[in-house]
Amino acid sequence: MVHRPVSGVRLDYLLLKYLHVIGAIVLLGTGTGIAFFMLMAHRSKDAAFVARTAGVVVTADMVFTATAVIAQPVTGYGLAEMTGVPLWEGWLGLALILYGVAGVFWLPVVWIQARMRDLARDAARAGRELPPAYHRLYRIWFVLGIPGFGSVLTILWLMIARPAL
């Protein structure tokens, strides 16, 4: 089977769509990686390891996740404008609502990760175990990650399936 390029597709549209897909990959990939590494560090119960891991996680969130969080609505808006898809209708409207939900859960998670890092650093410097405040924050971090990450997964499905809603 021979695949031919779709005629009439503008290069600017393809570039914008490419950037939008890259942003989605970064959000999903960084979120998955952060969750995995934080979980593994937490399970070690080693305060120094948790502190180092959480430090990297906070940096990754600021560099990768924050960049994608800004790029996604910009590229998504451009795509909607180019294709004439109404922003607040159907699958796109639901995706935008879920994007807000993800943000509501992500913002406190960023602060919690930084606080967990600081608590782990203090414990490591003092040669102590991770304090109860760290464990309380970890449970909150874990619970907030479920709807936040679930929203991102659902948005990705909506972008691919574009169901009639």
Side-chain angles (χ1 to χ4, degrees):
M1 174 183 237
V2 176
H3 294 280
R4 292 182 176 81
V6 178
S7 61
V9 177
R10 293 174 32 187
L11 185 58
D12 56 346
Y13 169 79
L14 292 176
L15 178 61
L16 202 55
K17 190 171 186 178
Y18 176 75
L19 293 174
H20 195 70
V21 170
I22 292 295
I25 292 167
V26 168
L27 279 177
L28 187 62
T30 304
T32 302
I34 283 171
F36 175 78
F37 289 114
M38 283 297 289
L39 175 64
M40 292 296 105
H42 174 77
R43 288 179 49 138
S44 77
K45 299 180 181 173
D46 178 339
F49 182 52
V50 170
R52 284 189 307 274
T53 302
V56 171
V57 160
V58 168
T59 300
D61 245 349
M62 292 299 101
V63 172
F64 297 107
T65 309
T67 301
V69 163
I70 293 166
Q72 285 307 97
V74 171
T75 57
Y77 178 79
L79 289 167
E81 283 293 307
M82 285 182 171
T83 59
V85 175
L87 283 178
W88 293 105
E89 292 181 17
W91 70 269
L92 184 53
L94 179 55
L96 287 170
I97 290 167
L98 288 170
Y99 196 76
V101 168
V104 164
F105 287 96
W106 176 67
L107 289 173
V109 161
V110 172
W111 177 85
I112 289 169
Q113 289 169 171
R115 184 70 185 121
M116 288 166 54
R117 175 201 60 204
D118 296 345
L119 290 168
R121 280 182 185 163
D122 292 346
R125 285 185 190 130
R128 293 190 312 262
E129 292 183 359
L130 294 164
Y134 164 86
H135 291 286
R136 189 171 38 259
L137 286 172
Y138 176 82
R139 287 189 298 274
I140 295 167
W141 174 86
F142 189 89
V143 169
L144 292 178
I146 295 168
F149 195 67
S151 293
V152 172
L153 287 173
T154 304
I155 292 165
L156 187 60
W157 180 83
L158 289 168
M159 283 173 39
I160 293 167
R162 297 179 180 195
L165 300 176

